C-alpha cells in the first residue's frame, strides 16, 4: 500500500515531535513542512533532502496537519480546504474567534473535503460529542495550575500569585471569554465547547492552586445521557517539558488511523 503523504504546518515543539516520531512510520510519509519564509533555508539545511521545507502548502498535497498556532488556520488551512485538501488541526483555540468556525466549514464544503479537529491535550471529547446527540444540559471545564503557571496572564492583576495559600479562582466565565483572556488554555476549552454545547454555553473555571505541582484538567457534563466527569494530570513530553505529551500523541493517533485496518 502506498504511504499516505502529509504536509506538516509548523515546526515548533509539537511539529518537531510529530516529525521525529513519524520518521519510521511505514504508512505515513511527511513530504513537506511549512514554516515562515525566513526559516525555510535553515530548516531545509538541518533536515536534509528527505523532506521539502516551504512557506506555503503545496497545491497537490492530499493531507495537512496543522500544529503551528492560531494564525496558521487563516493563512494556510482555509486556502487548503477551499482547494479540496483534507486538513487536521491542533490549534482549536483559534475557533473561539467569532466567525472562524463558519469560515472553515464553508471552505471545507466549497472544496468538498473535511476538517478534523483533534482532541489534543484533553480527553472525553468523544463522549461529550456522543452525548450531544441526545441533548446536553451543561459542560464545565476546570483548569488548575500552580500559581507560577499563571504568570504572564491577567491573573497577575487579580491576585498576588506569590502569596496564595489556598486554591483561588481567577476566572469563571464562558469558554469564549476564557479563550480571549487566557489563550494558552484556549485549545482545551474550545475543544470541549465545540464537542458539546458551544463556546458561549460552556463554563470555564480557572484556578491558581498552591497545593498542586502539575496542570490538572477537569471536565463535568450532564444531559439526557446521564452525568460525566473526568480528571487528567497531563505530563509533558520527555524531550520538551513545555509541550503536552498527549497533544502530540493525539496527532499521532490521527495519522495512524489514516492507514490502519482497525481504528478506535
Amino acid at each position: 500500500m502506498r504511504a499516505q503523504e502529509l504536509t506538516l504546518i509548523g515546526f515548533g515543539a509539537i511539529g518537531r515531535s510529530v516529525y521525529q516520531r513519524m520518521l519510521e512510520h511505514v504508512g505515513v510519509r511527511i513530504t513537506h513542512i511549512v514554516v515562515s519564509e525566513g526559516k525555510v533555508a535553515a530548516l531545509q539545511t538541518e533536515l536534509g533532502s528527505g523532506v521539502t521545507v516551504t512557506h506555503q502548502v503545496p497545491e497537490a498535497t492530499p493531507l495537512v496537519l496543522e500544529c503551528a498556532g492560531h494564525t496558521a488556520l487563516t493563512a494556510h488551512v482555509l486556502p487548503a480546504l477551499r482547494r479540496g485538501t483534507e486538513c487536521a488541526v491542533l490549534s482549536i483555540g483559534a475557533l473561539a474567534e467569532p466567525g472562524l468556525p463558519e469560515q472553515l466549514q464553508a471552505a471545507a464544503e466549497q472544496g468538498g473535503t473535511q476538517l478534523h479537529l483533534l482532541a489534543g491535550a484533553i480527553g472525553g471529547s468523544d463522549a461529550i460529542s456522543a452525548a450531544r446527540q441526545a441533548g446536553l444540559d451543561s459542560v464545565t471545564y476546570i483548569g488548575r495550575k500552580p500559581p507560577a503557571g499563571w504568570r504572564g496572564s491577567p491573573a497577575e492583576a487579580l491576585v498576588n500569585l506569590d502569596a496564595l495559600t489556598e486554591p483561588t479562582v481567577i476566572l469563571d466565565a464562558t469558554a469564549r471569554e476564557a479563550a480571549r483572556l487566557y489563550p494558552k488554555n484556549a485549545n482545551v476549552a474550545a475543544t470541549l465547547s465545540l464537542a458539546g454545547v458551544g463556546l458561549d454555553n460552556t463554563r470555564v473555571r480557572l484556578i491558581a492552586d498552591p497545593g498542586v505541582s502539575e496542570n490538572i484538567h477537569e471536565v463535568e457534563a450532564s444531559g439526557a445521557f446521564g452525568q460525566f466527569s473526568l480528571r487528567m494530570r497531563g505530563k509533558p513530553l520527555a524531550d520538551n517539558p513545555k509541550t503536552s505529551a498527549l497533544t502530540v500523541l493525539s496527532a499521532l493517533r490521527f495519522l495512524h488511523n489514516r492507514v490502519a485496518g482497525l481504528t478506535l
Side-chain angles (χ1 to χ4, degrees):
M1 182 178 67
R2 183 180 178 183
Q4 166 77 71
E5 295 185 351
L6 171 73
T7 291
L8 186 67
I9 302 177
F11 208 69
I14 296 174
R16 186 176 289 272
S17 295
V18 170
Y19 175 75
Q20 291 171 343
R21 285 160 174 76
M22 294 302 295
L23 283 174
E24 303 302 322
H25 199 290
V26 296
V28 178
R29 185 168 70 92
I30 298 175
T31 59
H32 294 79
I33 297 174
V34 177
V35 295
S36 62
E37 192 168 5
K39 297 180 179 179
V40 169
L43 185 58
Q44 187 70 76
T45 299
E46 176 188 342
L47 299 180
S49 59
V51 64
T52 299
V53 182
T54 179
H55 67 281
Q56 292 182 328
V57 175
E59 291 192 10
T61 191
L63 180 64
V64 164
L65 172 63
E66 175 278 321
C67 45
H70 295 185
T71 58
L73 271 71
T74 52
H76 298 295
V77 174
L78 272 172
L81 289 170
R82 293 188 185 110
R83 293 195 301 266
T85 300
E86 192 173 1
C87 297
V89 302
L90 284 169
S91 300
I92 311 298
L95 275 71
E97 180 183 331
L100 185 54
E102 292 79 7
Q103 291 180 54
L104 290 164
Q105 182 175 345
E109 292 172 353
Q110 178 182 334
T113 189
Q114 286 185 307
L115 173 66
H116 304 275
L117 307 180
L118 305 188
I122 191 65
S125 58
D126 55 342
I128 291 175
S129 182
R132 182 180 62 185
Q133 308 306 312
L136 274 170
D137 297 327
S138 66
V139 178
T140 300
Y141 165 68
I142 303 167
R144 191 182 298 266
K145 293 183 182 181
W150 297 109
R151 289 202 177 102
S153 77
E156 290 184 314
L158 300 175
V159 296
N160 183 348
L161 294 172
D162 295 323
L164 292 182
T165 58
E166 59 184 23
T168 302
V169 176
I170 57 173
L171 182 77
D172 189 343
T174 66
R176 191 182 301 277
E177 184 70 359
R180 184 181 70 83
L181 293 173
Y182 293 85
K184 290 184 179 179
N185 285 75
N187 283 347
V188 169
T191 299
L192 295 170
S193 301
L194 294 166
V197 294
L199 289 157
D200 297 312
N201 293 313
T202 301
R203 298 301 302 181
V204 173
R205 192 174 305 124
L206 302 180
I207 299 173
D209 188 344
V212 303
S213 58
E214 302 169 295
N215 295 349
I216 300 175
H217 304 294
E218 297 174 273
V219 184
E220 299 171 355
S222 64
F225 76 100
Q227 294 182 322
F228 170 88
S229 62
L230 172 73
R231 182 181 175 94
M232 296 181 62
R233 292 177 178 266
K235 289 187 176 182
L237 286 171
D239 50 355
N240 192 317
K242 293 183 178 181
T243 302
S244 164
L246 197 58
T247 298
V248 172
L249 296 174
S250 174
L252 297 180
R253 171 185 176 272
F254 169 77
L255 296 176
H256 173 75
N257 282 349
R258 299 292 300 179
V259 295
L262 178 67
T263 68
L264 180 62

